[in-house]
Amino acid sequence: ADVKGQGAIKHFWITDSAKAGRLLILKIYFDGQSKPAVCAPLSDFFANSDYRTYRQISSLPICFNPKRGMNCYFEMPYFKGFRFEIENIGTQQCQIYYQIDCEEKKISPDSLYFHAQFRRINPLPYKEVYTILDNIKGNGQYVGTFLHWGVKSNRWWGEGEIKFYIDGDIDFPSICGTGTEDYFFGAYNFDVEGKYTEFSTPYSGLSKTTYNDNLYNCQKYFDMYRWHITDPIYFKEDIKVTIQALGWRSEGRYHPLQDDISSVAYWYSDNLEDNYPDLPSADELEII
């Protein structure tokens, strides 16, 4: 789509014919900007890192419906227009079906632009934290996190704290979580009767791909989402978001993990000039 005028995107639906997943890159540009405000693999934007296997997501702003019906309800204001692009970085041709619903109207001068940014590190260097978002300037609101976590060791992997550094925070964050599953509104390892338990609710959810049903054995892959809609995180100058990767060693000691972690951060701000990290190549995006 390439639309001129003023208004707001209210919803869009999209599906593809090839199960291309991370090899289709979603880009959304606002008001004639040369850099996209939204830049993420199509599957990850819809909180599903690898949709060759169907998983239902039933949240307020993002729905992933049978069989691969992807829906977004984040409102996206624009003053001069917008442009949608899908870039295929794979070798297989595919068909795209879509519908973009927008309302033509005069919007408030203080309306904010929607943004989404993808990152991946595989493996995370030893004792480093994973950065979800950094170098973001302006006045805005952080509205959501999608996190894909590929576990490469045994035992519990989600002891790390999420931290929000807001408006000049350096050494100490304004918001600090207690553990990975707690941030995504689960508790106690997502463990019900010795098994990780999937869920999808309006504001948070967990899905998993696993090659071993033993609760704490390695080679498990998790998708988690959390939306900050009724519990907003505002910033006036800048924001940085990180999460620790911590498990357990013997004798109750922390184990710094070197896992495969990727994310999409979602936020609104008045700034369209932020620089995003380069997207990984097709080989670097693939989940094996």
Side-chain angles (χ1 to χ4, degrees):
D2 191 354
V3 174
K4 306 300 182 184
Q6 188 168 134
I9 300 166
K10 307 292 285 188
H11 161 265
F12 66 94
W13 162 87
I14 191 167
T15 189
D16 73 284
S17 65
K19 298 185 180 180
R22 282 189 161 180
L23 300 183
L24 297 178
I25 308 301
L26 172 66
K27 299 179 181 180
I28 306 176
Y29 303 78
F30 296 112
D31 291 354
Q33 291 292 307
S34 60
K35 294 183 292 188
V38 173
C39 186
L42 185 66
S43 55
D44 292 77
F45 179 86
F46 287 97
N48 192 338
S49 61
D50 185 3
Y51 57 52
R52 289 172 291 187
T53 300
Y54 165 74
R55 300 178 189 90
Q56 177 68 37
I57 295 173
S58 302
S59 75
L60 282 176
I62 296 290
C63 294
F64 200 103
N65 300 329
K67 177 177 181 182
R68 285 190 312 283
M70 295 168 273
N71 294 268
C72 173
Y73 292 91
F74 279 117
E75 185 166 341
M76 303 180 189
Y78 51 90
F79 292 91
K80 300 176 182 178
F82 68 87
R83 189 170 85 253
F84 263 69
E85 292 182 357
I86 296 287
E87 179 185 4
N88 185 353
I89 63 172
T91 59
Q92 181 180 359
Q93 292 185 350
C94 68
Q95 294 170 307
I96 300 293
Y97 304 88
Y98 64 92
Q99 178 174 317
I100 301 169
D101 304 311
C102 54
E103 184 179 3
E104 296 178 346
K105 62 179 181 179
K106 186 174 182 179
I107 61 173
S108 171
D110 60 358
S111 297
L112 302 178
Y113 294 107
F114 179 80
H115 298 73
Q117 179 191 127
F118 175 85
R119 291 175 180 241
R120 185 188 193 186
I121 296 182
N122 181 28
L124 184 69
Y126 186 63
K127 289 190 175 181
E128 287 195 12
V129 299
Y130 178 79
T131 298
I132 297 171
L133 189 65
D134 196 8
N135 297 317
I136 299 303
K137 308 296 183 183
N139 173 46
Q141 177 180 343
Y142 188 86
V143 293
T145 307
F146 167 68
L147 198 64
H148 168 78
W149 202 297
V151 183
K152 296 186 175 183
S153 58
N154 289 330
R155 304 188 180 184
W156 171 237
W157 48 272
E159 206 60 40
E161 299 171 347
I162 194 164
K163 298 180 181 181
F164 291 85
Y165 297 86
I166 300 171
D167 295 346
D169 290 341
I170 298 176
D171 295 328
F172 300 102
S174 291
I175 300 172
C176 184
T178 56
T180 306
E181 83 277 45
D182 303 324
Y183 171 67
F184 291 99
F185 290 157
Y188 297 106
N189 312 356
F190 302 119
D191 177 357
V192 178
E193 297 179 352
K195 293 182 179 181
Y196 290 105
T197 302
E198 297 179 281
F199 66 100
S200 181
T201 70
Y203 299 109
S204 67
L206 167 78
S207 60
K208 61 184 174 67
T209 302
T210 180
Y211 298 100
N212 190 316
D213 287 333
N214 190 306
L215 181 62
Y216 292 120
N217 280 2
C218 66
Q219 290 200 333
K220 293 183 182 296
Y221 302 84
F222 300 89
D223 285 348
M224 297 166 281
Y225 66 85
R226 160 82 183 270
W227 310 125
H228 294 274
I229 296 175
T230 56
D231 56 339
I233 295 178
Y234 298 118
F235 56 96
K236 296 296 184 184
E237 300 174 4
D238 56 70
I239 187 170
K240 176 180 179 179
V241 187
T242 67
I243 191 167
Q244 298 169 307
L246 289 176
W248 293 109
R249 292 187 186 277
S250 59
E251 300 174 352
R253 295 174 295 150
Y254 283 122
H255 176 204
L257 304 174
Q258 295 181 272
D259 287 342
D260 172 10
I261 307 174
S262 53
S263 60
V264 178
Y266 309 77
W267 75 98
Y268 288 87
S269 81
D270 59 0
N271 182 16
L272 287 175
E273 300 299 328
D274 292 318
N275 292 313
Y276 295 2
D278 292 335
L279 279 176
S281 67
D283 287 343
E284 292 168 325
L285 282 170
E286 186 177 4
I287 299 171
I288 301 176

